């Protein structure tokens, strides 16, 4: 999607300078294709709209240009945590950047303003309301700022998933700084949001750069949920000592799961909006400094979490949309190394969401038709999510296509379907017929649990009271556990081969398609209701190719100590990719170390001797 970029009064582009800055400061050997285009546009001071999925490398697009042309640029960001992390990471490579936010003292802010006025800073991060309302604009005009980067730009649009009214004030930038260029960055892809961003920010003929949404290093799995806790433990067992995020729907659930994980000896803590700010902050810090491995969280946890080595994102319940799922799983593997995303799926969640959606619409102050519209749009999102979860087709393909990008037909090698992990149930049609006829025998007047109890031959009070132990379908699926039986019923509900009433006490009923199955006019495919066996993906094997794992662990321990001593997130010291590169190459000289990805001159000066000692087996004291 490259469009020619005109240079006006800016210096002619100098690729050599770009790559020089890139290796010297970041230790990277090349720009990703979209980054090159975005940086070209920024250096030419041509407005741009850059849409890149999480982990695509947006920050470099606004971090690099000011180093090349010596300008002072402004980055607008919605959250203090996001700014702080970035400034920390930049300081670690010696980059002159600072943030201005409400969490700072008057003196601290003045110090930043002084450095800004003196032209010492290449980047200043701030929130939209602070930018607009504090006289900062006057200072920026005096300093001659000519480039604004608007991060998380979808916050300006009410079509986006995270509308923030304060972003609307940014519309005045165009008038106040007519000769400056404006660069919007977002990970939200829909064309409507994109248009809205361009209009609200008054972008002038912007270069639109849209990245690929597929994340090839992520392995997606959907596992039928049979036992939340046991499955969670088993999956986390594959990631001992690695950064993991476990998402739950309710606050209570996060606390229950976190307590159980802690009891099992995992370094885990809960995180949700009901905890007080200090507690949340402590958990976030502990996670970024690697003193805990697992955060069990509601969706409140995420934005502002900038740990790049998350190896597992586990959803124990269904997210409410594929947009949400893409965003939450996007927090895995931002360093580009293999990471796993598992969704424990039960269609029971669909019904919980549905009643939640209806309840919150009813409690809103919207007009009845508007309530209906809201419900319809949320149910639509839910349906897409559900289709994704129950479809036995490539997850990468399904996600890419949902976001409007075709995916090559070859097997991805990085999802449960393509890896052949999903087992289908033998005799699924017969099993389905047994379930459906039981629904008919109890006269379509009972819920999932009761139907399954009858099928399993459980003599519960209710079963006996209704005389259901005398039905011909009693005990037809006696070999199944209750959870497994319920899971099969939910699979039938998902495939619309069985229906369910809404309301407080939903009962399962038959529909036309159920009768087709019962008549033998329709074949049924069901998945084996147990946790699938995860195989190693190709990406994972490649990433560890030739890596000395002992050395890697020694390097991580060393990094944790440094991070703690400096009070900085561990990954800002060096990320996992760099650690693996060192543990693979085993450099024996500063020059060899400099050739490892992620090692620039500043890091070499700061950590070179310590790292070289670790490579030859001398632990630092
Ligand atoms: P985003 O903001 O788009 O989610 P980031 O800017 O945080 O993504 O970058 C994601 C990861 O990719 C970071 O670990 C970053 O260091 C790495 N990265 C970015 N650009 C490059 C590059 N050109 N070469 C190697 N690694 C890169
Ligand atoms: Zn696949």
């Amino acid at each position: 999607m490259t469009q020619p970029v005109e240079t006006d009064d800016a210096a002619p582009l100098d690729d050599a300078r770009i790559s020089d800055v890139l290796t010297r400061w970041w230790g990277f050997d090349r720009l990703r294709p979209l980054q090159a285009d975005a940086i070209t546009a920024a250096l030419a001071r041509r407005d741009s709209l850059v849409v890149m999925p999480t982990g695509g490398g947006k920050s470099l697009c606004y971090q690099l240009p000011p180093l090349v042309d010596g300008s002072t640029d402004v980055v607008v960001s919605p959250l203090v945590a996001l700014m702080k992390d970035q400034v920390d990471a930049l300081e670690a490579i010696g980059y002159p950047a600072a943030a201005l936010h409400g969490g700072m003292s008057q003196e601290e802010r003045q110090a930043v303003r002084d450095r800004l006025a003196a032209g010492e800073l290449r980047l200043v991060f701030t929130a939209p309301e602070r930018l607009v309302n504090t006289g900062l604009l006057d200072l920026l005009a005096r300093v001659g700022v000519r480039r604004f980067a608007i991060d998380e730009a979808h916050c300006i649009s009410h079509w986006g998933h995270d509308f923030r009214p304060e972003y609307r004030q940014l519309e005045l930038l165009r008038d106040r700084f007519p000769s400056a260029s404006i660069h919007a960055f977002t990970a939200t892809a829909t064309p409507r949001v994109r248009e809205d961003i361009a209009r609200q920010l008054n972008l002038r003929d912007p270069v639109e750069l849209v990245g690929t949404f597929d994340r090839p290093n992520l392995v997606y799995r959907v596992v039928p949920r049979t036992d939340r806790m046991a499955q969670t433990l088993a999956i986390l067992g594959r990631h001992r000592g690695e950064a993991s995020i476990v998402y739950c729907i309710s606050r209570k659930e996060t606390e229950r799961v976190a307590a159980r994980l802690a009891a099992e000896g995992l370094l885990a803590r809960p995180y949700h909006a009901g905890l007080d700010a200090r507690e949340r902050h402590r958990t976030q810090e502990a996670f970024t400094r690697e003193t805990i491995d697992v955060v069990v969280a509601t969706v409140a946890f995420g934005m502002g979490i900038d740990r790049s080595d998350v190896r597992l994102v586990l959803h124990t319940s269904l997210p409410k949309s594929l947009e949400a799922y893409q965003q939450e799983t996007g927090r895995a593997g931002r360093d580009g190394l293999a990471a796993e995303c598992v969704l424990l799926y039960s269609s029971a969640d669909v019904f919980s969401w549905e009643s939640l959606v209806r309840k919150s619409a009813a409690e809103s102050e919207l007009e009845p038709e508007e309530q209906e519209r809201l419900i319809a749009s949320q149910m639509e999102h839910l349906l897409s999510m559900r289709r994704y979860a129950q479809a036995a087709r490539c997850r990468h393909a399904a996600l890419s296509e949902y976001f409007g990008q075709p995916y090559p037909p070859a097997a991805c090698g990085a999802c449960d379907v393509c890896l052949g992990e999903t087992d289908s149930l033998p005799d699924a049609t017969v099993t389905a017929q047994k379930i459906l006829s039981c629904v008919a025998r109890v006269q379509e007047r009972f819920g999932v649990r009761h139907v399954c109890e009858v099928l399993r031959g459980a003599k519960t009070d209710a079963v006996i009271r209704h005389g259901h132990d005398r039905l011909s379908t009693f005990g037809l699926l006696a070999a199944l556990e209750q959870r497994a039986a319920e899971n099969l019923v939910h699979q039938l509900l998902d495939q619309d081969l069985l229906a369910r009433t809404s309301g407080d006490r939903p009962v399962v009923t038959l529909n036309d398609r159920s009768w087709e199955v019962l008549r033998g006019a329709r074949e049924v495919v069901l998945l084996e209701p147990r946790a699938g066996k995860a195989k190693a993906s190709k990406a994972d094997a490649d990433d560890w190719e030739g890596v000395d794992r002992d050395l890697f662990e020694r390097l991580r321990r060393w990094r944790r100590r440094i991070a703690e001593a400096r009070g900085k997130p561990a990954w800002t010291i060096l990320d996992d990719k760099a650690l693996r590169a060192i543990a693979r190459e085993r450099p024996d000289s500063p020059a060899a170390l400099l050739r490892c990805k992620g090692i620039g001159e500043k890091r070499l000066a700061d950590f070179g001797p310590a790292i070289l000692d670790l490579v030859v087996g001398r632990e630092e004291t």
Side-chain angles (χ1 to χ4, degrees):
M1 257 229 175
T2 325
Q3 295 173 21
V5 172
E6 277 170 45
T7 20
D8 48 18
D9 56 339
L13 287 178
D14 184 345
D15 285 349
R17 286 219 53 204
I18 296 177
S19 55
D20 179 49
V21 165
L22 189 67
T23 34
R24 248 180 351 128
W25 292 74
W26 280 274
F28 294 157
D29 42 15
R30 67 177 71 85
L31 288 173
R32 296 171 181 163
L34 218 61
Q35 286 178 327
D37 292 343
I39 287 169
T40 307
L43 287 171
R45 280 196 279 100
R46 157 102 184 255
D47 284 1
S48 63
L49 174 53
V50 181
V51 186
M52 255 189 227
T54 312
K58 284 183 284 294
S59 27
L60 201 64
C61 302
Y62 53 75
Q63 291 169 352
L64 191 142
L67 286 184
V68 173
D69 67 9
S71 59
T72 298
D73 294 359
V74 175
V75 181
V76 178
S77 175
L79 291 180
V80 174
L82 283 177
M83 295 178 213
K84 281 215 279 221
D85 278 358
Q86 284 215 29
V87 172
D88 283 347
L90 289 172
E91 281 177 347
I93 61 166
Y95 187 119
L100 281 169
H101 58 75
M104 300 163 68
S105 69
Q106 188 66 39
E107 292 76 44
E108 287 170 323
R109 283 201 297 266
Q110 192 51 51
V112 171
R113 283 167 175 261
D114 291 345
R115 289 174 71 197
L116 180 57
E120 288 170 19
L121 294 174
R122 297 284 72 82
L123 270 189
V124 187
F125 291 78
T126 194
E129 60 280 13
R130 181 160 298 275
L131 175 66
V132 173
N133 300 329
T134 55
L136 183 57
L137 288 178
D138 296 332
L139 175 57
L140 296 177
R142 279 204 303 281
V143 182
V145 164
R146 292 203 295 177
R147 212 153 36 216
F148 290 89
I150 316 297
D151 205 4
E152 311 289 349
H154 58 274
C155 292
I156 205 168
S157 169
H158 65 270
W159 301 113
H161 55 88
D162 190 20
F163 175 52
R164 289 166 189 262
E166 63 275 17
Y167 258 67
R168 285 286 163 87
Q169 298 173 295
L170 296 173
E171 67 177 12
L172 59 74
L173 287 179
R174 173 93 300 153
D175 274 354
R176 285 289 306 269
F177 295 83
S179 65
S181 60
I182 300 177
H183 308 274
F185 295 87
T186 177
T188 299
T190 69
R192 192 190 238 173
V193 174
R194 260 185 258 164
E195 258 167 51
D196 211 19
I197 293 171
R199 199 179 49 244
Q200 305 274 354
L201 287 173
N202 302 305
L203 297 187
R204 270 190 308 238
D205 184 25
V207 196
E208 269 204 34
L209 300 165
V210 182
T212 315
F213 272 71
D214 186 51
R215 299 275 315 276
N217 61 318
L218 301 190
V219 178
Y220 297 101
R221 300 193 157 94
V222 181
V223 179
R225 188 173 74 220
T226 49
D227 182 333
R228 191 192 309 256
M229 200 63 93
Q231 290 174 300
T232 301
L233 279 167
I235 293 161
L236 280 166
R238 302 203 280 267
H239 298 276
R240 280 263 164 185
E242 297 181 338
S244 305
I245 304 176
V246 177
Y247 281 112
C248 301
I249 290 188
S250 77
R251 297 173 179 184
K252 265 220 320 268
E253 188 77 27
T254 64
E255 295 188 357
R256 202 171 66 84
V257 173
R260 176 66 195 281
L261 297 182
E264 297 282 340
L266 289 152
L267 300 170
R269 271 201 226 155
Y271 186 104
H272 58 74
L275 296 170
D276 77 67
R278 274 220 320 277
E279 170 98 33
R280 283 204 312 256
H281 185 68
R282 265 210 304 277
T283 300
Q284 197 153 347
E285 292 269 308
F287 190 61
T288 40
R289 292 202 194 134
E290 303 194 357
T291 52
I292 59 171
D293 296 324
V294 186
V295 177
V296 186
T298 60
V299 295
F301 183 72
M303 249 220 188
I305 274 302
D306 221 357
R307 189 167 170 177
S308 69
D309 64 343
V310 173
R311 299 269 77 87
L312 168 72
V313 171
L314 168 60
H315 282 80
T316 67
S317 301
L318 192 74
K320 62 178 172 183
S321 66
L322 274 173
E323 282 87 348
Y325 189 61
Q326 165 90 1
Q327 192 180 32
E328 285 148 27
T329 52
R331 290 166 192 139
R334 291 180 63 166
D335 51 13
L337 299 174
E340 187 182 11
C341 306
V342 185
L343 167 61
L344 296 183
Y345 175 65
S346 161
S347 69
D349 295 342
V350 176
F351 298 99
S352 319
W353 275 121
E354 181 169 359
S355 62
L356 231 125
V357 163
R358 289 189 187 283
K359 194 161 147 247
S360 67
E363 284 168 0
S364 72
E365 283 171 4
L366 298 170
E367 299 292 322
E369 302 108 79
E370 284 191 315
Q371 283 187 20
E372 282 310 313
R373 214 173 307 141
L374 185 68
I375 292 172
S377 106
Q378 294 188 341
M379 293 310 293
E380 187 72 25
H381 280 112
L382 203 51
L383 184 67
S384 306
M385 189 66 233
R386 181 176 171 177
R387 286 208 184 107
Y388 167 83
Q390 70 172 48
R393 69 177 294 235
C394 176
R395 315 285 175 197
H396 282 271
L399 280 167
S400 287
E401 282 165 21
Y402 180 78
F403 290 104
Q405 299 185 332
Y407 190 82
C412 74
C415 80
D416 52 353
V417 177
C418 295
L419 289 167
E421 293 168 2
T422 47
D423 286 333
S424 45
L425 188 76
D427 306 327
T429 305
V430 175
T431 304
Q433 286 168 338
K434 290 177 180 174
I435 294 169
L436 298 176
S437 53
C438 189
V439 173
R441 291 278 182 267
V442 301
Q443 300 180 333
E444 304 177 54
R445 283 170 39 211
F446 291 85
V448 176
R449 200 179 64 197
H450 185 86
V451 169
C452 290
E453 284 168 353
V454 175
L455 280 163
R456 292 180 53 243
K459 298 198 167 171
T460 64
D461 292 348
V463 169
I464 292 175
R465 193 166 64 249
H466 293 285
H468 288 166
D469 52 341
R470 297 195 300 274
L471 294 176
S472 59
T473 52
F474 182 75
L476 270 185
L477 295 177
L480 286 183
E481 287 182 23
Q482 179 71 15
R483 277 192 243 260
E486 292 187 13
N487 176 272
L488 292 177
V489 174
H490 282 293
Q491 290 191 48
L492 292 175
L493 286 164
D494 275 340
Q495 297 180 39
D496 201 21
L497 296 171
L498 194 57
R500 175 151 124 158
T501 59
S502 50
D504 281 348
R505 309 203 60 194
V507 303
V508 265
T509 60
L510 301 176
N511 59 20
D512 292 348
R513 287 159 55 93
S514 321
W515 288 109
E516 288 171 17
V517 174
L518 283 168
R519 282 201 307 273
R522 181 183 276 278
E523 286 293 311
V524 179
V525 180
L526 293 170
L527 296 177
E528 194 79 62
R530 60 180 155 77
K533 284 179 205 45
K535 303 182 179 156
S537 75
K538 183 163 173 329
D540 202 33
D542 286 352
D543 290 344
W544 285 106
E545 182 80 49
V547 173
D548 174 340
R549 296 229 187 187
D550 277 350
L551 177 54
F552 177 73
E553 286 307 322
R554 282 207 301 281
L555 288 163
R556 279 187 75 195
R557 280 199 300 276
W558 162 82
R559 177 177 66 181
R560 199 171 306 146
R561 278 202 307 277
I562 304 277
E564 232 154 290
R566 300 191 172 196
K568 299 288 184 210
W571 67 270
T572 63
I573 308 294
L574 264 180
D575 67 12
D576 272 21
K577 201 188 263 179
L579 294 193
R580 285 196 204 173
I582 296 165
R584 186 182 291 118
E585 304 301 330
R586 307 187 54 90
D588 55 5
S589 66
L593 184 55
L594 204 51
R595 283 196 297 272
C596 293
K597 221 180 190 131
I599 306 284
E601 282 175 8
K602 171 87 161 86
R603 286 201 169 104
L604 181 70
D606 284 359
F607 307 127
I611 293 174
L612 292 170
D613 274 355
L614 283 165
V615 173
V616 295
R618 268 197 302 272
E619 286 275 351
E620 194 203 30
T621 42

mmCIF file of all heavy atoms in Angstrom, residues 340-358:
data_model
loop_
_atom_site.group_PDB
_atom_site.id
_atom_site.type_symbol
_atom_site.label_atom_id
_atom_site.label_comp_id
_atom_site.label_asym_id
_atom_site.label_seq_id
_atom_site.Cartn_x
_atom_site.Cartn_y
_atom_site.Cartn_z
ATOM 1 N N GLU A 340 1.206 -18.962 23.026
ATOM 2 C CA GLU A 340 0.001 -19.762 22.875
ATOM 3 C C GLU A 340 -1.234 -19.001 23.352
ATOM 4 O O GLU A 340 -1.181 -18.301 24.362
ATOM 5 C CB GLU A 340 0.193 -21.031 23.729
ATOM 6 C CG GLU A 340 -0.894 -22.040 23.550
ATOM 7 C CD GLU A 340 -0.720 -23.270 24.444
ATOM 8 O OE1 GLU A 340 0.125 -23.264 25.358
ATOM 9 O OE2 GLU A 340 -1.473 -24.234 24.207
ATOM 10 N N CYS A 341 -2.330 -19.131 22.625
ATOM 11 C CA CYS A 341 -3.591 -18.508 23.024
ATOM 12 C C CYS A 341 -4.643 -19.597 23.085
ATOM 13 O O CYS A 341 -4.956 -20.201 22.064
ATOM 14 C CB CYS A 341 -4.034 -17.465 22.004
ATOM 15 S SG CYS A 341 -2.783 -16.236 21.681
ATOM 16 N N VAL A 342 -5.158 -19.842 24.272
ATOM 17 C CA VAL A 342 -6.136 -20.914 24.416
ATOM 18 C C VAL A 342 -7.463 -20.341 24.873
ATOM 19 O O VAL A 342 -7.516 -19.501 25.769
ATOM 20 C CB VAL A 342 -5.667 -21.966 25.451
ATOM 21 C CG1 VAL A 342 -6.641 -23.134 25.496
ATOM 22 C CG2 VAL A 342 -4.274 -22.458 25.126
ATOM 23 N N LEU A 343 -8.511 -20.789 24.236
ATOM 24 C CA LEU A 343 -9.854 -20.395 24.646
ATOM 25 C C LEU A 343 -10.577 -21.639 25.153
ATOM 26 O O LEU A 343 -10.720 -22.616 24.422
ATOM 27 C CB LEU A 343 -10.586 -19.794 23.439
ATOM 28 C CG LEU A 343 -12.094 -19.585 23.558
ATOM 29 C CD1 LEU A 343 -12.420 -18.617 24.684
ATOM 30 C CD2 LEU A 343 -12.643 -19.043 22.242
ATOM 31 N N LEU A 344 -10.988 -21.612 26.418
ATOM 32 C CA LEU A 344 -11.819 -22.690 26.942
ATOM 33 C C LEU A 344 -13.250 -22.318 26.608
ATOM 34 O O LEU A 344 -13.772 -21.313 27.101
ATOM 35 C CB LEU A 344 -11.661 -22.827 28.465
ATOM 36 C CG LEU A 344 -10.277 -23.224 28.981
ATOM 37 C CD1 LEU A 344 -10.328 -23.386 30.499
ATOM 38 C CD2 LEU A 344 -9.800 -24.509 28.320
ATOM 39 N N TYR A 345 -13.858 -23.123 25.778
ATOM 40 C CA TYR A 345 -15.151 -22.717 25.262
ATOM 41 C C TYR A 345 -16.290 -23.573 25.787
ATOM 42 O O TYR A 345 -16.227 -24.799 25.775
ATOM 43 C CB TYR A 345 -15.128 -22.792 23.735
ATOM 44 C CG TYR A 345 -16.474 -22.510 23.137
ATOM 45 C CD1 TYR A 345 -17.044 -21.251 23.281
ATOM 46 C CD2 TYR A 345 -17.182 -23.494 22.469
ATOM 47 C CE1 TYR A 345 -18.293 -20.981 22.763
ATOM 48 C CE2 TYR A 345 -18.436 -23.236 21.937
ATOM 49 C CZ TYR A 345 -18.981 -21.975 22.086
ATOM 50 O OH TYR A 345 -20.218 -21.709 21.573
ATOM 51 N N SER A 346 -17.308 -22.881 26.247
ATOM 52 C CA SER A 346 -18.559 -23.562 26.554
ATOM 53 C C SER A 346 -19.674 -22.642 26.090
ATOM 54 O O SER A 346 -19.658 -21.445 26.370
ATOM 55 C CB SER A 346 -18.684 -23.796 28.053
ATOM 56 O OG SER A 346 -20.041 -24.035 28.366
ATOM 57 N N SER A 347 -20.653 -23.180 25.393
ATOM 58 C CA SER A 347 -21.696 -22.285 24.896
ATOM 59 C C SER A 347 -22.570 -21.777 26.043
ATOM 60 O O SER A 347 -23.374 -20.880 25.852
ATOM 61 C CB SER A 347 -22.531 -22.961 23.821
ATOM 62 O OG SER A 347 -23.293 -23.979 24.407
ATOM 63 N N ALA A 348 -22.375 -22.344 27.233
ATOM 64 C CA ALA A 348 -23.091 -21.791 28.391
ATOM 65 C C ALA A 348 -22.771 -20.298 28.511
ATOM 66 O O ALA A 348 -23.616 -19.487 28.896
ATOM 67 C CB ALA A 348 -22.678 -22.529 29.661
ATOM 68 N N ASP A 349 -21.529 -19.916 28.145
ATOM 69 C CA ASP A 349 -21.133 -18.511 28.232
ATOM 70 C C ASP A 349 -21.965 -17.623 27.318
ATOM 71 O O ASP A 349 -22.209 -16.456 27.624
ATOM 72 C CB ASP A 349 -19.661 -18.343 27.850
ATOM 73 C CG ASP A 349 -18.743 -19.039 28.842
ATOM 74 O OD1 ASP A 349 -19.198 -19.331 29.965
ATOM 75 O OD2 ASP A 349 -17.587 -19.293 28.476
ATOM 76 N N VAL A 350 -22.351 -18.176 26.178
ATOM 77 C CA VAL A 350 -23.145 -17.384 25.238
ATOM 78 C C VAL A 350 -24.435 -16.939 25.921
ATOM 79 O O VAL A 350 -24.858 -15.796 25.803
ATOM 80 C CB VAL A 350 -23.488 -18.213 23.980
ATOM 81 C CG1 VAL A 350 -24.387 -17.411 23.046
ATOM 82 C CG2 VAL A 350 -22.217 -18.645 23.272
ATOM 83 N N PHE A 351 -25.021 -17.857 26.678
ATOM 84 C CA PHE A 351 -26.280 -17.517 27.344
ATOM 85 C C PHE A 351 -26.060 -16.528 28.483
ATOM 86 O O PHE A 351 -26.873 -15.642 28.702
ATOM 87 C CB PHE A 351 -26.989 -18.790 27.787
ATOM 88 C CG PHE A 351 -27.343 -19.671 26.613
ATOM 89 C CD1 PHE A 351 -26.551 -20.759 26.278
ATOM 90 C CD2 PHE A 351 -28.423 -19.356 25.801
ATOM 91 C CE1 PHE A 351 -26.851 -21.543 25.166
ATOM 92 C CE2 PHE A 351 -28.727 -20.132 24.684
ATOM 93 C CZ PHE A 351 -27.941 -21.232 24.372
ATOM 94 N N SER A 352 -24.941 -16.678 29.185
ATOM 95 C CA SER A 352 -24.661 -15.690 30.239
ATOM 96 C C SER A 352 -24.502 -14.310 29.619
ATOM 97 O O SER A 352 -25.042 -13.329 30.122
ATOM 98 C CB SER A 352 -23.370 -16.011 30.996
ATOM 99 O OG SER A 352 -23.251 -17.369 31.230
ATOM 100 N N TRP A 353 -23.737 -14.244 28.507
ATOM 101 C CA TRP A 353 -23.555 -12.949 27.856
ATOM 102 C C TRP A 353 -24.885 -12.386 27.392
ATOM 103 O O TRP A 353 -25.173 -11.210 27.548
ATOM 104 C CB TRP A 353 -22.630 -13.073 26.634
ATOM 105 C CG TRP A 353 -21.181 -12.996 26.957
ATOM 106 C CD1 TRP A 353 -20.240 -13.947 26.707
ATOM 107 C CD2 TRP A 353 -20.474 -11.895 27.559
ATOM 108 N NE1 TRP A 353 -19.004 -13.525 27.131
ATOM 109 C CE2 TRP A 353 -19.119 -12.278 27.652
ATOM 110 C CE3 TRP A 353 -20.859 -10.639 28.037
ATOM 111 C CZ2 TRP A 353 -18.148 -11.443 28.195
ATOM 112 C CZ3 TRP A 353 -19.898 -9.811 28.577
ATOM 113 C CH2 TRP A 353 -18.561 -10.224 28.655
ATOM 114 N N GLU A 354 -25.702 -13.240 26.800
ATOM 115 C CA GLU A 354 -26.971 -12.755 26.271
ATOM 116 C C GLU A 354 -27.811 -12.116 27.370
ATOM 117 O O GLU A 354 -28.345 -11.023 27.199
ATOM 118 C CB GLU A 354 -27.732 -13.900 25.608
ATOM 119 C CG GLU A 354 -29.045 -13.420 25.016
ATOM 120 C CD GLU A 354 -29.709 -14.470 24.124
ATOM 121 O OE1 GLU A 354 -29.143 -15.566 23.951
ATOM 122 O OE2 GLU A 354 -30.802 -14.153 23.618
ATOM 123 N N SER A 355 -27.879 -12.762 28.534
ATOM 124 C CA SER A 355 -28.729 -12.159 29.557
ATOM 125 C C SER A 355 -28.087 -10.880 30.094
ATOM 126 O O SER A 355 -28.766 -9.923 30.431
ATOM 127 C CB SER A 355 -29.072 -13.162 30.661
ATOM 128 O OG SER A 355 -27.912 -13.569 31.311
ATOM 129 N N LEU A 356 -26.739 -10.869 30.101
ATOM 130 C CA LEU A 356 -26.050 -9.652 30.536
ATOM 131 C C LEU A 356 -26.312 -8.484 29.589
ATOM 132 O O LEU A 356 -26.561 -7.351 30.006
ATOM 133 C CB LEU A 356 -24.555 -9.927 30.568
ATOM 134 C CG LEU A 356 -23.885 -9.549 31.864
ATOM 135 C CD1 LEU A 356 -23.155 -10.760 32.426
ATOM 136 C CD2 LEU A 356 -22.906 -8.423 31.628
ATOM 137 N N VAL A 357 -26.239 -8.792 28.294
ATOM 138 C CA VAL A 357 -26.468 -7.766 27.269
ATOM 139 C C VAL A 357 -27.884 -7.197 27.412
ATOM 140 O O VAL A 357 -28.091 -5.983 27.403
ATOM 141 C CB VAL A 357 -26.268 -8.380 25.859
ATOM 142 C CG1 VAL A 357 -26.885 -7.516 24.790
ATOM 143 C CG2 VAL A 357 -24.794 -8.612 25.590
ATOM 144 N N ARG A 358 -28.854 -8.084 27.590
ATOM 145 C CA ARG A 358 -30.242 -7.630 27.719
ATOM 146 C C ARG A 358 -30.439 -6.803 28.982
ATOM 147 O O ARG A 358 -31.093 -5.771 28.970
ATOM 148 C CB ARG A 358 -31.192 -8.829 27.747
ATOM 149 C CG ARG A 358 -31.288 -9.484 26.410
ATOM 150 C CD ARG A 358 -32.374 -10.530 26.323
ATOM 151 N NE ARG A 358 -32.253 -11.206 25.046
ATOM 152 C CZ ARG A 358 -32.652 -10.688 23.890
ATOM 153 N NH1 ARG A 358 -33.249 -9.515 23.853
ATOM 154 N NH2 ARG A 358 -32.456 -11.338 22.764
#
